[in-house]
Amino acid sequence: KMWGALMARALVPFGVLVCMPDYRNFPGVTVGEMVLDVDYATQWVLNNCREFGGDPKRVVLVGQSAGAHLGSCVVMRKALMELNPKTSSSSKTTAPKPSYHLSTTYKNKDLRGFIPISGPYNLVSLRGHLHNHGLDQNVLLAMFGNELELHSPYHLFQRCLESLDSVDTKKEERGEEEEDGRRRVQVPDGLLPPMCIIHGTDDKTAPCQGAIEFASTLREGGVNVTTRYYPGWSHTDPIIEAPMEGDHTLHRDVYNFVKFWTTRQYHSHPTIVTDSVVFDNHDNKKDDDDDDSISIRQIEDMKEMALMVPFDEREKICGRLCPPFLVSIGRFFNPF
């Protein structure tokens, strides 16, 4: 829980409630059961965070490495369930549940956003890389219950697109034809939460190219995705080495997206997000003589924004935790 503790140490002083659930590990369980653990934990947070001062309507899911992978599996499987409501119904029936079924009741629209960090997203293409990196292929298959595609976020999203493409009604509304005549299928708004994929460009454990390709696939499918690629950073630099040195680049990005996604302003106006700019298309349906007035909604927006002050690395709590030479030694021996 070290990286979660470092993140909480940086975010709690700025008004963020941080919950750090864990999940069971292999060989005690397979990845399928780990996904269920993350899903149950998310439901628990939505049900109980108010008791700790949180707001169940302003929850953002964050995961790093395996947590990014498991969280991605959860939101993709939730999307599949919404696209296939009859087969995914939780009502008592003798028919077997689909392989992607989750028993929790929340939907992706109940999450204000999802931030996967340094995650593996295409497990099929990564199989050889992980083997060469020390994770034997036989162990990998055992860990995944011989079902790599079922637990591969990239392939789960492809299944979402296939589910949409198989619907015969209103096909024209769901996709557009490309120049080569192929139809581009896009997911409906709210099927997946807005996402910010974060990755170090020098990640040897889960290469950055996989994150780039996953983000590109999601964008082509109509998902609201932003990316942050940290030049020269490894698999663990964002969560351990950098914070130890007092560099809170990751924590600042996480905080800014939490602040952006959880304010009413984001949900009141259509918003386009790019990697560097936010364009807010405000509703212009108002009387001409009201151009200079401030609505009650705008006042509430400003109050919410004011409650979350800007992230400031100069705060004492964000200072360096150990001498630079110790961090350098740690980087040298870090297997990731």
Side-chain angles (χ1 to χ4, degrees), residues 298-313:
Q298 288 173 315
I299 293 174
E300 292 301 318
D301 289 345
M302 288 187 285
K303 285 182 179 179
E304 287 188 357
M305 293 292 284
L307 287 175
M308 297 186 70
V309 298
F311 188 83
D312 189 353
E313 292 186 18

Side-chain angles (χ1 to χ4, degrees), residues 46-108:
L46 289 165
N47 292 346
N48 297 279
C49 67
R50 194 180 296 279
E51 297 180 22
F52 302 90
D55 184 346
K57 294 182 179 180
R58 303 172 71 187
V59 173
V60 174
L61 182 64
V62 181
Q64 191 270 344
S65 191
H69 163 252
L70 296 173
S72 297
C73 286
V74 168
V75 297
M76 294 302 164
R77 286 171 65 168
K78 282 289 183 180
L80 278 169
M81 289 178 62
E82 192 165 341
L83 290 171
N84 301 277
K86 292 183 179 179
T87 58
S88 300
S89 175
S90 59
S91 60
K92 293 182 179 180
T93 176
T94 56
K97 300 296 183 185
S99 58
Y100 52 79
H101 178 75
L102 297 170
S103 61
T104 51
T105 57
Y106 73 91
K107 295 183 178 180
N108 279 335

Side-chain angles (χ1 to χ4, degrees), residues 115 196 226 228 253-262 273:
I115 305 177
C196 176
T226 306
R228 291 285 186 272
D253 282 341
V254 169
Y255 178 82
N256 286 340
F257 273 94
V258 168
K259 182 177 180 179
F260 176 62
W261 286 332
T262 59
V273 184

Side-chain angles (χ1 to χ4, degrees), residues 22-26 28-30 32-37 40 70:
D22 206 348
Y23 52 86
R24 293 168 291 172
N25 280 288
F26 182 82
V29 297
T30 63
E33 291 161 298
M34 299 178 205
V35 172
L36 296 182
D37 287 350
Y40 291 142
L70 296 173

